[in-house]
Amino acid sequence: MPFHTVLGAHELFIVEQIHHNKELPWDEKRRFLAMFVFRAHCRSNVFREAQLPLMLQERFWRDPLGQFADNGPVTRSMLQYRRKTRQPLQTSAFLAIPERLCPDDDENLARNVARRTRTLLEVAENVWPLVHNEKLTSLEKFQEISKTIQAGRRLGDTWSKMLMVSIDIAYPKLQLLESTCDVGVGALKALQRLFNDGQKEDPRDLLGHATRAANSSKAAAAQNFWRLLKKVESLCQKRFAHLPLILDQVCTPVAQLSAVTLQVQLCEWRQFLDFLSKAGNTPGDEMQEDETPSEPSKKMRRIKGKQTVDDEGPVGVQERANGVTENRDSDDEMPLSSIRAEAGKAEKTDANGQAGRSSEDAYLQAAQQALGQLEAKVASARQAVQEQELKVKRCKTEQEEAAHQAVEAMRKSREADEALSSTEIETSKCEYLLTASHIKTEVLQEMYGKLEEEQAKLSDGKDEVFGKLPGLPKDSWMLPRLASAAKTRIAHLESLMRELEKEADADDTAREPHEDQHAEFIRQGSIHMQQRAKAREAANKAIEAMRSAQERCKEEQEKLAEGRLQLHLVEAQVLSLKQIMDS
């Protein structure tokens, strides 16, 4: 585990892939709940491959607990992942043997993880309002959240510590773990080694003693530690400048270690001792009476708080008997039994307002702390400016693209207008030709009708010309001539009528292509009219999008200007503090 808990594999995954993952379409609460889902197993591949695809669906959030039922969608997905990949469903940190829920081992493991997830989701729902309760102080929030977590099924101090760390990283301004922290099993053993007589005390009180003792140390090792920590945090600030939640964790003021940081390091220290115990020359091995402890064993016994008279040697015994005390340059040379006394001194010093320290020293220390915070703020502000510059660049690109699309849409609208106008002109031409043809046909039809009437009169003997002449006797030799003349006229009329029919047929034949063209132009006109309507609508939308892009670009540029201004102001403050520190 790194010194900064946020850089541990699990917390770093939560920060990068959940809290700061802009691709996730989740609000703050959903990210909060997702953090607890991941914490139920702490396997990144399980989260990405078996859970996230379902969590990206809206129906997951309508009933998250139901998704993790024994036969719920996510539970089945985890089981399929297990059977397909044969990869673990939880990290090795989960030392508890899974409860036997069903005969199949894979299904049993998936159900255990799912039930644990349901428990954590229920806890998360109860913790969420506490996190946002502005009426509670940081200590009150810590106590209420810790109590709420430990009310969950099979959740104790270690779970409370782990989840509280995740919450503290997600909401650094609450300062939940600044002065106190639940003590997990690993750190508890370390505290018991530090405070051999403190097994009956509240572990959180012991952690407070150790934290104050560490922060009050003036030894050379402590000074070197703070100088090294500043360099390390400077590198972290550059490496993770794009992740504000990490920047909030890598700006530790001098002599202000938090309780949670020390708690985690105590756990790591305990694991280191356990590792050495398994590696040989273990300080916990039983020695024979005639054996002399090796130097590593002596040192390890001292570190573990199990120093004996034999370990110190006769010189050390004689010196203490004579009241001689060795001047030590490092806390590593201080017997662990004296840590409580040092912690008490630190508490007394804090209560007396850092007695014995000059006002100038106090001022410089406060300035150093403020400088560290401002440098972190500068890194964060610089990253924010860089991100805002990228946003402005993207906005300008989007604005240019929107303008291009608007111009293209207007061009297409004009083309649609021109196509419709051209079609309307051609349609008008066809209509003119068809109208002329129809008029001619109507005239021919009228002529044909009159010829038919004339023919009928001749056939009925009602010729107007003959009717005006004097009548003839029935035996007149003129009657056959009159009949022959009538037939001649009828034949002539029939010839004329046939000519008219031919002419009408010719006109009909000539008109058919124009009618087909007219129908086609009408069809094209209807299509062009629809296309013009769509083109105009698209042009209007493109113009509106272009205007919106312009407004967004303006807003982002204003934000960039404000961010740059804030950055310059903070940089000026840093320069002034550095000048004070360097002078």
Side-chain angles (χ1 to χ4, degrees), residues 148-160:
T148 301
I149 293 174
Q150 296 189 50
R153 180 174 179 270
R154 295 186 176 182
L155 302 183
D157 287 334
T158 300
W159 269 104
S160 178

Side-chain angles (χ1 to χ4, degrees), residues 511-555:
R511 188 169 60 245
E512 286 179 358
H514 295 300
E515 288 178 343
D516 293 340
Q517 289 180 352
H518 183 261
E520 177 62 21
F521 284 134
I522 289 178
R523 187 185 68 81
Q524 291 181 4
S526 177
I527 294 174
H528 290 318
M529 189 172 294
Q530 294 176 359
Q531 291 177 344
R532 183 185 67 173
K534 292 181 180 179
R536 286 184 175 179
E537 182 180 0
N540 291 334
K541 288 183 179 179
I543 292 172
E544 183 63 28
M546 179 182 66
R547 291 173 179 169
S548 299
Q550 290 174 340
E551 289 296 325
R552 288 196 302 272
C553 191
K554 179 182 177 182
E555 292 175 359

